[in-house]
Amino acid sequence: MRRKKYLEAYIDEICLRGKNEMAQSISKTASAFKSDNLESFTFAEHEVGLLFGNVQAGKTAQMFGIICSAADASFPLFIILTTDNVALQRQTFERVQADLDRCGFCICNERDKQKFIDNALTKPVIIVLKKNSRVLLQWYNTLFASSFVKGNALFVVDDEADAASLNTLVNKKRVSTINRRLMGIRDASIGSMYLQVTGTPQALLLQSSMSAFKPAFMCYFEPGEGYLGGDFFFDYDEKNNTCVNFIDMYSDDITNDGLYLALVHHLVASAQLILSGEKVCNFVIHPGIRKASHNIAREEIKNRIEYLKSTICDEDAVDALKVMYNKTVPENTVQHNFPEIYAKIKDIITGKEMKILVMNGDTNVGEEEYSTGSNIIIGGTVLGRGVTFPKLQTLYYTRTAKKPQADTMWQHSRMFGYDRDPGLMALFITKHLYKLFSNINATNDSIISQAEAGIEKIQLYYPEGINPTRRNVVDLDLTDLIAGGTNYFPDDPDNTDIIKLDAILNQFIEDNYYLVGLKLILQILDYVVPSDDFSLDAFKNVITTKIAENAFEQGVLIVRPGRQVTQGTGSLLSPNDRELGSEFNKSVVLTMYEIKGDLGWRHNRIWVPNIKLPEFINYYDVR
C-alpha cells in the first residue's frame, strides 16, 4: 500500500477538521514554495527565504504545509524556532504534535536529545526549540556531534524571525549571542534552507547584503475568508468604520469614559456569544509596557465592574447596556433579544464567569485561563508576538512610545484573526494612535503589493515620527534615509544618450509643468548616470513601488531647457521652480534642467535631474 506523502497526509488532516478552505490555501502555498524554491535547491548550499502574511492569519499552518512539502522533497531534518518564551515553545510543540504526529514525523522537544539520536533520521525529525542561548548551544553540540547531520541538509523554520534572531550588535561590528548560535546550527550541516516566518518583515527587509539573514526570496500568503485584519480596523475612512471608538471623545465621568464603555461592550459581546453556545469571550487592555500601568489598569477596571455591579438594576446602567446592544449586530450568530442579553450580563458580572488576568513578567497566566468564560486580560509586551486570544472582541489600547516602531506596534494587533465576529468587534483607541496604525497598515499593504508584483527589492516608507523597526538590528552605515519633500540632485552626473533624452524631453517644454505616468519618469531616469553622492537606484525603487501600488499614479514633470547653473554651487533649482515643485506635495516631482555652457559639468551640454518625493514621508533604502 502506497504511503501518503507528508503534504497529502497533512492536507487530509486539515480537511478532517472541516477546514477545507484552509487546506486549499496551505496546498497552494506549499506547492508554490516547492516549484519556486525546493525543486532548484542543491542540498549543498545555505539559502535564506522569507514567508510572511498578515498577523494571526494562519502562518503556523502555512509553515507546517511547507515543512511537509520539504519532507516530500527529501529534507530529513527540521528545526522550528520560537521566541524565548516557555509557554510559547510549549504551545508550538503541542501544535506540532497535534497537527503533524500522524503524518509520519519524529517530533522532539528541547529535552528529547536521545529520542533524536535513536531515530537516526529513519523518519524525518522536527525539533522545536526556544531561541535561548543555553538551549541553542546544547542542540548545536548535539547536532555537531551527530554522525548523520553533517551530510544532510537542514531545514530551519524561524518563527517570528525578526524578534530575536538578528544581530543586535551589527552597528558595534560584533555578533550577538543568539545570532551566532543560529549561524552555528545552520553551518552544522552541509546545506540548509533557512525560512524566516513573520507577520512583520520590516527588520528582515532592511538587512543589508552583508547580513547572513537577508532573505534571498520571499513568499506571501493571502489570508483566508473571514479574516479580520488591518484593512478592517484601520481603513482611512473613519466614518464608515463603526467598530472604532475614539477615547478622546469621551468624558472623565466614570459612566461615560472609554474604559467603562469598553467594559459595557465586552459584557454585551460576552452575553451574545455565550448564549449562542460559545465558551469564551475576551477583552484585552494594553495600557503600556510598565507593570505599574498594568496594576493601575486592573484597579480602574475593577472599580468600573464594582460600580456596574452596584447599579446594574438602575435605569442609567440599563440604558447604557441597551445603547451598546443596539450598536452591536452579530454576523456569525443570531442576535438574542435584549432581555436575554441583560439577564446573562447580570449572571456574568455577579457570578464566576468573569476573570481579570494580568499578564507580565510577574505573573504566570496559562492559555487555559482565558480559553473559557468572560475574561479581561491586561498586559504589555507579553500581549505581543505569538500569543493568541480566542474570541477577542474588545481591545482597549493606549500604549504610547516616544519613537514608535512599526513592527512592534503591529504585533500588538491581537484583535486580528479568524474567529472574531465583525459585528461584535470594538476597538477603543486615541485618534493619534489610530492614525499611526493606519499609516503602518498602508505601508504593510504596500509591501504586499510589491511582493505580489514580483519586486525583488522591497521599499519601506513611513511618515515622520514612525521608525520601521529597532535601530540596533539595522546596519546604519548601509541604510540610506531619503526624506520626502526634499529636493535631491546629483552633483556630477552624466547622460547615456543625450539625443534620445532630447527627443523625450523636448515634447514637454511648452507648459510650466506636466502630469505624466510614473513609468515615463522611470524611462527618463534611465538616461541618467548618477555621481556617487546620488542614489539613483533608490529613487527608481521608490517609483517602482508606487507603480506596484497604483499603475496609473501620476507624477509631475518640469522641463527647463537652456539653463546656466555652475556645477558645485550646492543649488540647482531656481526659486520659482522650487516653489512650483512644492505645490505638489503628494506627488513625485522630476525637474530636468538642460545646462549649457562651460560651467564645470562633465559636458558643455547636459541634462541634470532634480527629484522630490511626496512630503512628510521617510523612505528607507539598503545598500
Side-chain angles (χ1 to χ4, degrees), residues 341-361:
I341 295 290
Y342 177 63
K344 187 60 185 176
I345 288 173
K346 286 201 293 184
D347 289 344
I348 292 172
I349 204 165
T350 58
K352 296 182 178 180
E353 284 185 282
M354 175 172 282
K355 297 190 293 289
I356 300 175
L357 305 170
V358 176
M359 293 181 65
N360 56 36

Side-chain angles (χ1 to χ4, degrees), residues 202 206 236 401-410 431-444 460-471 481-482 616-620:
Q202 289 88 339
L206 288 175
Y236 274 105
K402 292 181 180 179
K403 294 182 179 179
Q405 294 169 186
D407 53 359
T408 299
M409 284 187 67
W410 205 243
K431 282 192 172 184
H432 171 69
L433 286 170
Y434 182 82
K435 182 63 175 176
L436 288 179
F437 274 106
S438 295
N439 287 325
I440 295 169
N441 184 56
T443 296
N444 287 353
L460 301 182
Y461 57 88
Y462 292 95
E464 295 175 0
I466 301 179
N467 294 325
T469 188
R470 55 204 188 282
R471 290 167 60 88
L481 186 149
I482 302 171
F616 309 120
I617 295 176
N618 290 329
Y619 300 82
Y620 297 84

